[in-house]
Amino acid sequence: MELEVERQSNPVDMIEFVAANNDWSFERSGEDEIAMTVEGRWTDYHVSFSWMEEFEALHLACAFDIKVPENRVNEVIRLLSQINGQVLMGHFDFWRQEEVIIFRQSLLLAGGAEPTNQQVEVLLSSALDACESYYQAFQFVVWSGMDAQRAIDAVMFETVGEA
């Protein structure tokens, strides 16, 4: 049995509302998509939210500017595998078309559920936290030639105190 549920608003409208309330600059590129750049500690992140009507899901993609040269692709894929085993929600992916690394996550809104601003903020903050946590590991693999395990070990140690 399939029920037709009338959605009250486009979930991307909530993203726009949250972005405006937080003074984030954004661009609404269509009815079902919004993009913004968010400043992180290590780099700027290019974030887009897309409403996927057929899946009733709000999809977040967060990319950062690390171009992966062909000779480092296999090691980056090993790193992705190790990192994705540690990430609770969402996952990292290698986008071959652009040769960049992206973090992806979706918020399921089946049955006409509407996203709350808290859900949107948590979706974005958890994506940015994941990117910030592993950005240096990607740099180590791409630019320093480290293997995936050494790169993970280098970023996962816990620092106590400040210098």
Side-chain angles (χ1 to χ4, degrees), residues 82-133:
Q82 289 182 20
I83 290 172
N84 286 336
Q86 297 176 9
V87 176
L88 178 62
M89 294 180 291
H91 69 278
F92 285 93
D93 204 352
F94 178 59
W95 191 17
R96 282 226 182 244
Q97 297 90 323
E98 300 292 325
E99 297 176 333
V100 296
I101 298 155
I102 61 172
F103 181 83
R104 299 170 41 164
Q105 187 173 351
S106 295
L107 176 63
L108 184 61
L109 297 169
E114 300 289 335
T116 66
N117 37 345
Q118 185 176 12
Q119 286 175 310
V120 169
E121 288 175 358
V122 169
L123 184 66
L124 179 58
S125 68
S126 68
L128 293 174
D129 287 348
C131 290
E132 288 280 282
S133 295

Side-chain angles (χ1 to χ4, degrees), residues 14-143:
M14 177 56 76
I15 306 294
E16 185 173 345
F17 174 78
V18 171
N21 278 349
N22 286 291
D23 292 324
W24 298 333
S25 60
F26 61 89
E27 181 180 329
R28 186 86 182 246
S29 52
E31 183 180 324
D32 292 337
E33 190 168 321
I34 189 169
M36 61 189 77
T37 300
V38 179
E39 185 179 328
R41 186 168 142 207
W42 303 112
T43 190
D44 289 343
Y45 299 101
H46 310 288
V47 180
S48 70
F49 288 90
S50 303
W51 172 240
M52 304 174 96
E53 181 71 40
E54 66 183 282
F55 301 109
E56 294 187 277
L58 185 61
H59 179 260
L60 173 145
C62 182
F64 41 89
D65 289 328
I66 294 183
K67 295 281 187 192
V68 180
E70 189 61 38
N71 67 332
R72 299 305 296 158
V73 168
N74 287 338
E75 201 60 35
V76 164
I77 290 172
R78 284 185 196 90
L79 180 61
L80 289 170
S81 176
Q82 289 182 20
I83 290 172
N84 286 336
Q86 297 176 9
V87 176
L88 178 62
M89 294 180 291
H91 69 278
F92 285 93
D93 204 352
F94 178 59
W95 191 17
R96 282 226 182 244
Q97 297 90 323
E98 300 292 325
E99 297 176 333
V100 296
I101 298 155
I102 61 172
F103 181 83
R104 299 170 41 164
Q105 187 173 351
S106 295
L107 176 63
L108 184 61
L109 297 169
E114 300 289 335
T116 66
N117 37 345
Q118 185 176 12
Q119 286 175 310
V120 169
E121 288 175 358
V122 169
L123 184 66
L124 179 58
S125 68
S126 68
L128 293 174
D129 287 348
C131 290
E132 288 280 282
S133 295
Y134 296 105
Y135 178 80
Q136 286 186 306
F138 289 111
Q139 276 194 316
F140 290 153
V141 168
V142 171
W143 301 119

